[in-house]
Amino acid sequence: MLFLNQSVDLTNTENSNIAFRGDQIESELTTNLQFFEDLLLKLPHENFKKLMRDNPQFTGFLRNIKQKQKNCA
């Protein structure tokens, strides 16, 4: 059986509803977690370095925050 992408197969309302709900959840998470990113952007450099050193599992996320810090300065 061949399945088309939701963006191509607009006749499948179940897939459209799932995609819509996923978009809603993503929007809610982004809105509710923005404060956390804002707090990280305000951390002093030494505290941020320690945070990165102590949490290697978040390296990618923290690098993005660090880049935003540079762009804000």
Side-chain angles (χ1 to χ4, degrees):
M1 178 177 262
L2 175 66
F3 293 98
L4 297 173
N5 287 334
Q6 188 269 333
S7 60
V8 175
D9 184 9
L10 300 176
T11 62
N12 189 329
T13 56
E14 183 179 353
N15 284 348
S16 294
N17 290 337
I18 291 170
F20 178 73
R21 182 64 185 136
D23 289 343
Q24 283 181 316
I25 291 169
E26 179 184 19
S27 178
E28 288 174 33
L29 286 173
T30 300
T31 300
N32 291 326
L33 294 176
Q34 184 59 45
F35 79 93
F36 185 67
E37 185 175 309
D38 293 342
L39 290 174
L40 291 175
L41 286 168
K42 295 175 184 174
L43 275 179
H45 180 70
E46 288 304 316
N47 294 34
F48 195 83
K49 280 175 50 176
K50 180 177 178 355
L51 182 67
M52 288 185 76
R53 197 173 43 247
D54 294 348
N55 297 282
Q57 69 272 31
F58 300 118
T59 300
F61 173 72
L62 294 172
R63 279 189 190 143
N64 288 336
I65 299 296
K66 189 173 184 178
Q67 186 62 41
K68 287 181 182 181
Q69 277 181 330
K70 289 179 184 177
N71 294 339
C72 290

